[in-house]
Amino acid sequence: MRSLTVLGATGSVGASTLDLVRREREQWRIVALTANCQAAELAALAREFSAEIAVVADESCLPDLRAALAGSGIETAGGTAALIAAAARPADLTLAAIVGCAGLAPTMAAIERGATVALANKEALVSAGAVMLAAVARHRTTLLPVDSEHNAIFQCLAGNDLAQVRSITLTASGGPFRDWSPAQLTKATPAQAVKHPNWNMGAKISVDSATMFNKGLELIEAHYLFPVGLERLRIVVHPQSVVHSMVEYRDGSTLAQLGPSDMRVPIASCLAWPGRMETPCAPLDLAKLGELTFRAADEERFPATALCRAAAEAGGAAPAVLNAANEIAVAAFLSGQIAFTRIAVMVAQVMSRYSPSAPASLDDVIALDHAARVQTRELLELA
Ligand code: NDP
């Protein structure tokens, strides 16, 4: 039996993870399950999985959680410090699936515990970059990538030497607007943006997928996880989302990982790593699919990937600033405050106006993230 903590248990990745755990219930002991404020949903999961502790990040939601778990014997807690303390509890595996930089401090607490961390929360790595990787090395933590592309690359690299890699190609679905004209993009609504053609995901990553910031953030994530040099990292649009990414070796051999567009496949790879486990996903039927297509990314209609590459090239504070600006701009778009095409414009503006020095610690990253959010909100008010 292995012990597991799920940070962000009530989200899309959290649900996929717990669906797999439910199928092998006797193999897992659940330590902590966390949410932001969905207390009823979290309480139901905590009861079902007999969690040791359930935590809401938003302390105002703690009374609801307490009421829902009264008499269960399950511990409850609320607030950021409680979330971090829960993440620091001993567990063999932590699934880091909080959305946004809000997941950084709890993910770092899990990393500092030195076991295995399966990372879905890409914004945490994009923001903390070298600071997070130094903690991984210092605490001898095993970091497994959950993101389908990085999980694909991880699998294609198994047993091979990074020095033999000629290039790594991240595939991108292109999102719901991949064939839209610039004029149509200006009118894209939040409801249209969150309706991804291939994947069922949370609202923030769905908007990121529509702007292509998701692929840009993944480029930065890949830059940190697989340090082959930025010039060797490529992006190709692959609308069917069947090939999840590829690694080309210097002898001309390209290895790709294929699978259904279902997060349970990469999550299962992390839960069972270095072994394999059953998933309920339908086997890939290539004859039925008929064809797989690929095309170059259009960085004029979707400037996000170029902005992210520039941030990765600049290094230092730039990826954290970019991520914070994007999080605020996406929230503003979702609440109807700005047009879809303003997201990338705002991120570019914040990046050109604000270039603090490189963060050296977790506290530095959190302060930087906070300051970049303030800058972005100020720009929003001017608009
Ligand atoms: P969701 O929005 O579906 O879920 C987010 C989870 O984080 C929920 O449990 C939510 O709690 C919790 N949460 C939200 N805000 C906070 C906060 N301020 N403090 C603590 N917890 C918080 O997101 P997804 O599952 O889609 O994505 C999670 C992460 O995984 C993201 O970083 C995303 O980029 C990455 N990812 C997601 C994929 C997907 O298919 N969904 C694929 C690859 C990566 P509550 O329910 O209470 O709001």
Side-chain angles (χ1 to χ4, degrees), residues 8 10-13 36-38 57 97 102 120-123 147 201-202 263:
T10 49
S12 160
V13 171
N36 186 36
C37 195
Q38 290 208 75
N121 182 200
K122 65 191 84 184
E123 298 92 344
D147 224 339
M201 310 183 287
M263 280 306 290

Side-chain angles (χ1 to χ4, degrees), residues 6-16 34-39 41-42 45 55-58 61 79-80 83 95-103 106 119-124 146-150 199-206 208 214 217-218 221 262-264 266-267 327:
V6 183
L7 304 173
T10 49
S12 160
V13 171
S16 294
T34 81
N36 186 36
C37 195
Q38 290 208 75
E41 290 78 357
L42 180 64
L45 292 172
V55 185
V56 277
D58 183 337
C61 309
T80 306
L83 177 63
L95 208 300
I98 292 173
V99 60
C101 201
L119 183 76
N121 182 200
K122 65 191 84 184
E123 298 92 344
V146 173
D147 224 339
S148 58
E149 295 76 3
H150 305 77
W199 298 91
N200 184 7
M201 310 183 287
K204 194 265 177 180
I205 185 176
S206 297
D208 283 346
N214 183 47
L217 295 174
E218 288 177 5
E221 190 183 2
D262 188 324
M263 280 306 290
R264 290 178 296 184
I267 294 169
E327 284 194 35

Side-chain angles (χ1 to χ4, degrees), residues 190 193-194 201-214 330 333-334 340 343:
V194 298
M201 310 183 287
K204 194 265 177 180
I205 185 176
S206 297
V207 175
D208 283 346
S209 181
T211 56
M212 292 286 280
F213 264 109
N214 183 47
V330 169
F333 166 68
L334 283 171
F340 178 76
I343 298 174

Side-chain angles (χ1 to χ4, degrees), residues 221-373:
E221 190 183 2
H223 175 53
Y224 288 128
L225 291 175
F226 314 113
V228 294
L230 263 176
E231 69 290 351
R232 291 176 193 269
L233 295 181
R234 310 209 169 120
I235 292 170
V236 70
V237 173
H238 166 46
Q240 296 84 8
S241 299
V242 168
V243 176
H244 296 299
S245 278
M246 300 169 247
V247 176
E248 180 192 25
Y249 289 94
R250 69 190 180 105
D251 59 3
S253 219
T254 295
L255 301 193
Q257 186 262 352
L258 283 69
S261 317
D262 188 324
M263 280 306 290
R264 290 178 296 184
V265 176
I267 294 169
S269 143
C270 294
L271 290 179
W273 186 85
R276 297 274 176 185
M277 66 185 280
E278 286 288 332
T279 71
C281 305
L284 206 54
D285 185 342
L286 289 176
K288 195 167 160 203
L289 275 165
E291 62 179 17
L292 300 178
T293 56
F294 301 89
R295 59 170 118 138
D298 178 347
E299 292 194 331
E300 281 198 15
R301 278 183 307 141
F302 300 102
T305 48
L307 285 171
C308 291
R309 189 176 281 278
E313 268 159 11
V321 172
L322 172 134
N323 179 69
N326 182 52
E327 284 194 35
I328 297 296
V330 169
F333 166 68
L334 283 171
S335 66
Q337 222 182 323
I338 60 168
F340 178 76
T341 42
R342 283 271 299 151
I343 298 174
V345 172
M346 283 194 59
V347 172
Q349 282 175 335
V350 175
M351 289 189 66
S352 66
R353 287 172 190 206
Y354 184 56
S355 49
S357 51
S361 66
L362 174 60
D363 287 347
D364 286 355
V365 181
I366 291 170
L368 184 60
D369 172 73
H370 180 76
R373 282 164 199 266

